[in-house]
Amino acid sequence: MTDDYSNLIQSISKAQTPKPDWLKQHSVVFSPTYGRGVVKVLLGNFATILFDHQPEAFDIDDCLEAVSAGTLLPPQSNPALTTSRDIEAIPYAPYQMLAQEWETQLRHLNVAPPRDGQYVSIPETLAAPLKTALAAKGINRLFSHQVIAYNALRDGEDLVLSTDTNSGKTLAFSLPILEGALTYGHTTLMIVPSNQLMDDQFEKMATLMELTGDDSLVCGKIHGGIEQEHRLSMFNDQPQVVLINPDCLNGLIRRARDPKYAKYTEFLSRLKYIVIDEGHEEVGVMGAHLAGMLMRLRLSLSQVGGDPWSLQYIVCSATVSNQAELANTLTQRNHPLERPPVRVIDDAQNGAPSPGRVTLIFNHQSNSASTVARLVEKLLIDTDLVGIVFFNSRNGSKKLMETVGRGLKRLGQSGLLNTVKLFNSSVNNDLKRQVIQGIKDGGVRLVFSTSSLQAGVDMPELDCSIVWGFPKLSDLRQRWGRAGRGQVPGLCIFVPSNNTNLDYYYVRHPQALINGQVEAALLDPHYPIRLAQHLLSAAAESGLKSEEVSLFFGEAGEVIAGELLRQGKLLQSQNLAYMYAKGRPYYDIPVRGNRPNSIKLINTTNGEVLETLAFNNAMREVFPGAIYKVQDGTGKLNQFRSQGLRPETNAVKLDPIQGVNRFTQAIEESDLTVARKIAQKVLNLGAFGALTLRLDWSKVDSRVVGAQEWEAIQVLSCETNGCKKRAVDLTSSRVSRCEGCRQSLKLKLVKQDLLAEVLFEPEAIIGYSIECPTMTLAASESLKAHLRQWVKQHNRGVKLQHGGKLPLHEQVLGETDPIALGLHSFLHALIIALPLGDRYSTQDIEDSLQTKGPGMDVESVLMDTVDAGTGATEYMFEHIQTVARNALQLSQECDCQNVGCPRCLTHTSCLDDNEALYKPLGVALLKAFLETEQTETLVTVPDKAKPEAEAQGTAEAQTASLEAV
């Protein structure tokens, strides 16, 4: 009661301070957090504001405090909000119509004007057959950057082509490599990450070869769908260019001494060019494995009479910030002779014309799924546009397909659903090819895709690209780059997903989405376990001389080879001339990280293979009794009931069922078991206390132990505050807008009931496990006490500033365990700074908050993402002070609010969805650590480590990790 009286007296005192002229009842205001709003109530310093696209109004206890803090501003403070004048600047009428339709929900609009091309005459030195081919294609001049690339490769340089999407990169490198084939008999190996892109590139290359009129030019391709005998016959045709994916390259390298593959050996001996397409995909573990395979390939080349040091590398990528570094790291250009630096041709040298681009960034939506569904319906019904919608999950694309199907049926347009197709990793390759062909033929209007179609498949028919939910910047640019590859400007749309900090941040900073620097492509080819796998493979494939180790695998390779000899995994011949390895270690290399183990989904009525899933996805999606949905030829999603996964057959039988408004969810469990302790450090955080870091070799088990079945019912209604038809079920009406307020109708979940929950019998439980390094952050008793005290005091201070309540962006202080808040915030700041070490990215790790049991304190755990590790966790442990300094600098330079942002605190690999984070606490802990003198680190050496391992000092963790495998 005393506080109430005190606040009443203070309110009179505060009311004496005049308010700014723009802050009045019914006036328009702007919030950096929520955008445009209208003041509905203003009494004293208390205000109630209704912000656009927010379902409920917000109460502000002290509006003057909000003005002072910069959280409440006049309307002109937001240059990003769209105006009618902005929309009128859109040069293409269908895009302008869409922008007008959605004007009230747009946060930002950007129009990039067309760009004229810079042309150069076809070089006189170009081989005559290639001039003939260009003339047949109607090309009488080249883009300026294509000629720069041609001259650089003729001069013997390595090359990075990093011009924008749709800039003719393929032709830029095709001319010089085919000239080399015609003139000198050179061959080219082109490494392509996906089968769809391979088909596209193969068609371009084969067509160019055919147009030369020279029958000696042959192009071949190798991927998992091509049988061994066909691969063999392909080499018998003596191709000059072979396209291959990384998985098949791993198996091909060992064929260098196979008598059946004599023609491959001949191809290899003449190898001159290695093209790495979509180089930004070759990061993390996949990139490290590709670098290891190229080491082995160079070794094989030297053993069959070729010259590995005359190889030239061409890396293509439109979305990477560290182009030269990526090329050097992938190719490991540790040359015995001096080579010129890799030549980078970036977008500043791009001579290709561009039709321009229109970018629409939506504001936060109360129901983003409904917004995307209505947007899709609008595109299908009211325009002739052809487009693609990108999702961050397969299930998300299927759910929206159902929503769109119901919407089109309600609007009397069910037939249009046949023009919408799913495209993801589980869809069969034949169906994927049909979808791509359907886009070209006009039978497909919209594609719902995951990352499977973001690589550079050339589809000039695509007008627009919609990205729902932030992936990462490089992926976003790749996805937007699918649109506008013809003569018409591309339409690029970003719709933020609900309740994610990353989407929230980028909506508030739209220029970062459009023009911000993309992520660096990072990998570590010398991570001991990866390097060991490729050393053993090389020794098994063709034998390995000791003097060849450093030449082809670097200095780190010598250390690892010595350890493998000590462990008896690498063996020496009797005359000590070479080293060898038993078995087929190359079969055990998971090129893309964790081994996929493809599971076929089979229709029990006809035996048809409906889709193919990776094992870890199948475990979660087709457990016994699971409802699984598959698109048929009409666009409809048919439902099936799973009989359960049979690991011995790598197949799941699916029984058709009638459509119901039901879905199933797996009940998952995971355990982290420390298999071996590697090392331990105690960090002194000054007055806060001590923080223990434990580096372990751990086994992470994941399994599905049961399932839930739910019923969900959605209705279409108006959700506009004050509208007479608000919350009225309008599902049966054939309208997309409310007849009362003319706002778009929204899908609303009105019922979600749990129908059943079952726990599986032990024999039906299926799971998988990985072993990798983990780093655990554990707080001492002193640190726990100080964290509780810090949060308590900070909580009290914030409440005093805001009339006894925590504002929305500070509520984490009152909702989160202080220990979890401190450990998680400290670790996240370190994770964001990890890429500054120029070796690892945030995609190489995951983190989570864990407790060992009821009533026990939480710990924060960092772990590598794949079996045998990535090296990122060990790097963090060993370089904690360097990473912490970078983290503190990032945090202090970032002007975001206390919840943090992608530049300083939040990241996409957090298993706790970026909850329990508070930037000021993370900064306080970083400062305490860096400002306190650290005593000698306590290192716990594994019990099984031998004396030789102990002598390796800081390398002991890597040796222990290698020995654990």
Side-chain angles (χ1 to χ4, degrees), residues 27-41:
S27 66
V28 176
V29 294
F30 170 71
S31 161
T33 303
Y34 302 106
R36 177 186 177 278
V38 176
V39 179
K40 293 295 186 180
V41 175

Side-chain angles (χ1 to χ4, degrees), residues 165 278 280-283 317-320 357 390-392 450-455 465-482 494 513 517-519 843 908:
T165 55
E278 301 295 314
H280 56 275
E281 299 280 346
E282 307 295 344
V283 297
S317 175
T319 53
V320 65
R357 174 180 290 178
F390 282 103
F391 299 78
N392 290 330
T450 55
S451 59
S452 300
L453 206 52
Q454 73 181 31
S465 172
I466 302 171
V467 177
W468 181 24
F470 180 75
K472 60 180 182 177
L473 276 179
S474 58
D475 287 346
L476 178 87
R477 304 285 173 73
Q478 282 289 328
R479 295 176 183 190
W480 276 351
R482 298 310 99 214
F494 175 70
L513 274 181
Q517 179 173 291
V518 298
E519 301 86 357
Q843 304 300 309
T908 56

Side-chain angles (χ1 to χ4, degrees), residues 674 676-682 692-698 773-777 873-874 877-878 937-943 945 953-958 960-961:
V674 175
R676 182 175 183 182
K677 294 181 179 180
I678 298 176
Q680 180 172 297
K681 291 181 178 180
V682 178
T692 298
L693 304 186
R694 297 196 310 268
L695 181 65
D696 303 311
W697 186 264
S698 300
T774 59
M775 184 179 80
T776 302
L777 281 67
T873 296
E874 289 161 278
F877 181 85
E878 294 169 9
T937 300
L938 172 65
V939 178
T940 304
V941 180
D943 297 337
T954 59
E956 69 182 15
Q958 296 181 341
S961 300

